[in-house]
Amino acid sequence: MPNPSPRSHLYRLGGLLVIGLIGFLAVKALATPSSWNHEDWYRGDSPKEIAALPLSYGGNESCQGCHKKTHDQVEAFGHKGLSCESCHGAVVDHAGDGKKIADAKVDMESNWQCMNCHEDQITKPKFFPTFKPTKTHEDVDADMLCSTCHEAHNPGL
Amino acid sequence: MEKQKWNLEPDSRREFLANLVSGAATATVLMVVGPGASADHGVGGHSKKHRDLVYVINVNNCIGCGNCVRACKRENSVPSEYFRTWVERYVITKKGIYVDSPKGAIEGFKKINAAIRSESQLARTIPKMCNHCDNSPCIQVCPVGATYRTDDGFVLVDHEHCVGCAYCVQACPYGARFINPEKKKADKCTWCYHRVKAGKLPACVTVCPNKARMFGNLHDPDSEVAKVFKEDRWMTLRPEMHTHPYCFYVGLPREVR
């Protein structure tokens, strides 16, 4: 039996390193998503997936197809510029494929939707109209509905 | 076996020392100047990409109704008790600053108690959310590249790739991130990336009744946000963190953190 080379331990170590390197590169190649963006370091498909998420709110343009008249009426008065969905909720809960799914109801049994914006609080902007129990509101009972006197689409009296 | 011969003749030693000195000099220059030093900086930011889209919050217009918080929940299916956007109420008095945000203001605010109200010097409701920073700490700490900035400046989270380690939740100086209890992944405001890509405004901007929230192109002279920058009265949250937020505030009291 020939004597083993005096450098055989180095060859073994080198061999192990090469095998380890190949293993590492193989695992890395398998673990890296195919669309990986190496410049900015993220999965390139991710923004496309997020962009494909469904929309719930459509903006006022999605309401006008059926409710043009009401929309124009609101635009003529104090609540102009307001989004329909601010009070009525997301359009997808109300309509789909041009058909009505459910009522886009506003809570008419209580005042919370009105007071949500118009309650008199110290944080409100100076010129924002808030409900104050003075002048015109002197005779208002605590349990009276705002909608008794005010029409939400034309809130002025 | 023949013994290894080290060539340490005077000439080669001189050569070696010369190489050592020049190598050290190169390394020092690289460390001081940095590899990114020549990159084209964006508007007030660090990223090499040009940015157009900005989010502006006009605190003077916020009425604290919570419409934005409700819309965000509905649009993005945010789990209860967690918020991608929320509204804080700051009441500044001589005795101290009162801050609250009951349920993230999803039901608006109840009247503050009379004692604080009578001492109030300044009271504002401050909408908060992810600031989509140009120099984002969350992107820097993510170990797997699951959070990133798109070319147009949205800071997004890749739920497929996120491992839920929550380093980013700790790194965010604005508290904008949380671990989604259903997905067990990091979650936060996306500026409604899916809506903007479909040509709509973010849900919170859509439903804001008093134009406290605005979103648009900084370089489009007709946009509402461009007017804010023309007047040059904007601020950002925690500028001392050098995060370069792209969420700008108008009328922000200096007490707000």
Side-chain angles (χ1 to χ4, degrees), chain A residues 33 36 42-47 49-50, chain B residues 145-148 156-163 185-186:
Chain A
W36 193 259
Y42 66 94
R43 197 169 56 90
D45 287 342
S46 172
E49 286 165 19
I50 297 172
Chain B
T147 188
Y148 57 93
L156 300 177
V157 184
D158 181 354
H159 281 174
E160 287 266 306
H161 211 61
C162 174
V163 292
K185 309 281 182 184

Side-chain angles (χ1 to χ4, degrees), chain A residues 8-133:
Chain A
S8 64
H9 63 293
L10 293 178
Y11 296 149
R12 273 201 297 277
L13 191 63
L16 279 175
L17 280 176
V18 168
I19 291 168
L21 186 67
I22 289 168
F24 169 75
L25 290 174
V27 170
K28 184 171 178 276
L30 287 173
T32 306
S34 57
S35 65
W36 193 259
N37 182 329
H38 287 276
E39 190 193 338
D40 290 331
W41 206 248
Y42 66 94
R43 197 169 56 90
D45 287 342
S46 172
K48 290 171 208 151
E49 286 165 19
I50 297 172
L53 291 174
L55 275 64
S56 300
Y57 287 79
N60 280 4
E61 59 272 26
S62 63
C63 308
Q64 289 183 51
C66 303
H67 303 288
K68 179 101 176 65
K69 210 170 155 187
T70 317
H71 177 262
D72 292 348
Q73 187 194 336
V74 175
E75 284 299 302
F77 300 111
H79 272 166
K80 66 171 182 284
L82 202 61
S83 163
C84 309
E85 290 164 313
S86 292
C87 304
H88 291 279
V91 70
V92 288
D93 296 335
H94 167 61
D97 290 333
K99 286 191 185 121
K100 182 169 146 185
I101 301 167
D103 286 335
K105 268 188 182 163
V106 167
D107 185 4
M108 300 296 277
E109 306 297 314
S110 75
N111 286 336
W112 81 267
Q113 282 200 300
C114 304
M115 296 310 267
N116 208 16
C117 293
H118 294 290
E119 189 169 32
D120 184 32
Q121 297 206 17
I122 48 171
T123 50
K124 299 276 153 129
K126 207 174 174 185
F127 300 107
F128 191 76
T130 53
F131 170 78
K132 295 183 190 73

